[in-house]
Amino acid sequence: MSSTESVSPHDVIVCACGTQEYTARDAVDAAIFRNELEDKWQKFLRHVAAERRADELELELDESAISAAAEEFRYRHDLITAEETEAWLANRGLTFEDFSDYFARQYCVGALNEGFSPEQIGYTSAPQELRHLFVAELILSGTLEDMTTKLMWRLAAGCAGKELASETITAEKRKFLHRIGIEPAQLAHWLEEMGRDSQWLNEMLAIEAAYGTHCDALLVPEARQRELMALRLRLTRFEIELVELESHDAAQEALFCVREDGMSLEEVATEGRYPYRRADFLLEDVPADAQQKYFSGSPGDVLEPTPHGDGFELCCIIKKVEPRLEDPSVKSRVDQRLLDHYFSHLTTKYTYPRLSVPASVQ
């Protein structure tokens, strides 16, 4: 098997465009350029802080819970044997130790609710070891795959578009400076901190501008309206009220009180001191096997009790709302579907994913 002991996850090749290969570092730096990395970095620092605090408290880790999470990951990625798991990790510059540590960190975050705070440090100024650990977490969480997809979309847009006018690039540069919050005079220092040069920045500006041009041509009212009609059922919004009960018998009794005695679900919850809440969601966010019962229901209907945790849940439909583009969440889903369809086709023409360690270290 190829040795990857000296390989940094940063150096793993994630995609290619023509003859040019792009690494995990390229995907991460492109996310920084788009100002989309900070939330992910802060979440990671919180995980690291939780792990450190668990060590200080000598917290006993639940090995069975950690193993179950690791097994679920392997099942999801169709990694049946230890050899297959090792090969999958090696292909991404990772080891079994990286794999185990990742799930231990996730456990620590869930086990500790307070008593720790993340280190206040920026990604570009963090020690190399911490940055490598961060990229390992991006890989194992699946986040790097999403970041790579965004990079590939922009690379494909750059290949498919015409040469952009200098004014378009200049406008894109203004957007970039505003996005990351620096003045033109600070740009050289920013690039130095990133370990990048003006050539890299120019490529980022060009592909981002090309991507924006494609999006402007794609996300027009007519296209959005057509897509909305195709997604009408899936994007129907439901407003509901829920009561949590300890048993099926209690749920049936509550259902009887609503249907036969005319009590509201909230009155039942108050009288029985049951947890009560309201919620709203789009139909496509509900598990597929539960969608039909919601869609078949009407406002005012109380649905049959369903298992929930150790008890049961009783639900009443308050309102069904037809999707409209004025709803920001609906518009976002419609736009994302249009972009997914368009760029999934475009990327197959100009780019391809390629997760592997560099040939020079194999």
Side-chain angles (χ1 to χ4, degrees):
M1 181 176 293
S2 301
S3 172
T4 61
E5 290 182 2
S6 61
V7 180
S8 160
H10 273 98
D11 298 326
V12 172
I13 299 166
V14 294
C15 67
C17 181
T19 60
Q20 180 66 45
E21 295 177 330
Y22 293 85
T23 65
R25 182 200 173 192
D26 292 319
V28 169
D29 287 357
I32 295 175
F33 170 85
R34 299 190 304 272
N35 196 26
E36 294 178 358
L37 194 76
E38 185 60 22
D39 288 347
K40 301 175 181 64
W41 174 247
Q42 291 301 325
K43 180 180 179 181
F44 164 72
L45 291 179
R46 179 173 171 78
H47 290 183
V48 172
E51 184 178 39
R52 186 181 302 118
R53 182 59 176 160
D55 287 342
E56 292 171 355
L57 297 173
E58 297 183 349
L59 179 70
E60 185 175 349
L61 304 183
D62 186 340
E63 297 295 341
S64 62
I66 295 173
S67 295
E71 285 300 314
E72 195 278 330
F73 177 95
R74 290 173 59 176
Y75 176 81
R76 191 167 68 249
H77 290 82
D78 198 26
L79 303 173
I80 308 303
T81 66
E83 290 75 15
E84 289 173 338
T85 304
E86 184 179 6
W88 188 95
L89 292 168
N91 206 40
R92 291 156 176 79
L94 303 176
T95 64
F96 264 123
E97 183 178 1
D98 297 322
F99 186 69
S100 300
D101 289 349
Y102 168 73
F103 290 104
R105 280 196 301 277
Q106 310 309 305
Y107 175 81
C108 291
V109 173
L112 297 174
N113 294 320
E114 55 186 22
F116 65 95
S117 57
E119 184 178 4
Q120 298 303 308
I121 184 171
Y123 172 76
T124 55
S125 56
Q128 193 79 337
E129 182 180 356
L130 190 62
R131 292 165 66 176
H132 289 180
L133 192 64
F134 173 56
V135 176
E137 182 146 325
L138 292 178
I139 293 172
L140 290 167
S141 67
T143 305
L144 183 64
E145 187 175 345
D146 295 335
M147 292 162 61
T148 300
T149 296
K150 290 187 175 183
L151 175 58
M152 291 171 63
W153 282 11
R154 286 154 176 81
L155 291 169
C159 292
K162 299 177 181 178
E163 186 173 348
L164 298 170
S166 59
E167 312 89 77
T168 304
I169 301 298
T170 300
E172 193 61 49
K173 187 173 183 178
R174 285 196 297 268
K175 294 178 190 176
F176 159 70
L177 293 172
H178 176 74
R179 190 164 61 238
I180 63 173
I182 65 171
E183 298 296 327
Q186 300 171 295
L187 184 54
H189 177 66
W190 185 86
L191 286 170
E192 184 179 355
E193 282 191 323
M194 287 281 293
R196 293 292 189 174
D197 57 21
S198 58
Q199 182 179 344
W200 172 83
L201 177 61
N202 290 337
E203 180 187 2
M204 289 294 102
L205 291 171
I207 63 174
E208 192 68 29
Y211 173 74
T213 300
H214 282 261
C215 290
D216 289 343
L218 179 65
L219 303 178
V220 296
E222 296 82 2
R224 282 174 167 147
Q225 194 60 45
R226 284 196 303 271
E227 194 67 22
L228 177 64
M229 293 306 296
L231 298 173
R232 186 179 65 84
L233 299 183
R234 298 178 61 174
L235 297 184
T236 297
R237 179 177 295 281
F238 285 77
E239 295 180 17
I240 62 172
E241 54 182 348
L242 297 157
V243 174
E244 296 177 24
L245 304 109
E246 74 276 11
S247 67
H248 187 265
D249 286 345
Q252 287 290 354
E253 183 178 344
L255 181 60
F256 180 86
C257 291
V258 173
R259 289 179 174 174
E260 303 300 327
D261 296 342
M263 295 177 67
S264 70
L265 210 56
E266 187 171 10
E267 288 173 337
V268 171
T270 301
E271 185 174 292
R273 297 183 178 180
Y274 295 122
Y276 170 88
R277 61 189 172 89
R278 291 194 172 207
D280 69 273
F281 56 85
L282 299 181
L283 186 63
E284 72 173 3
D285 292 335
V286 176
D289 59 354
Q291 289 183 8
Q292 186 58 45
K293 71 175 183 180
Y294 284 108
F295 192 75
S296 299
S298 301
D301 286 353
V302 181
L303 307 182
E304 289 295 323
T306 56
H308 179 75
D310 294 331
F312 283 79
E313 198 169 64
L314 204 57
C315 165
C316 177
I317 298 174
I318 300 173
K319 188 186 295 185
K320 291 170 68 172
V321 183
E322 288 282 319
R324 302 179 62 189
L325 289 171
E326 290 78 10
D327 183 335
S329 62
V330 169
K331 182 172 177 288
S332 175
R333 305 282 180 108
V334 168
D335 285 358
Q336 191 61 51
R337 189 65 58 90
L338 288 168
L339 292 171
D340 286 342
H341 288 169
Y342 179 77
F343 282 104
S344 63
H345 171 70
L346 199 66
T347 53
T348 59
K349 293 179 63 176
Y350 297 104
T351 67
Y352 57 94
R354 185 187 164 187
L355 257 174
S356 65
V357 297
S360 60
V361 299
Q362 292 184 348

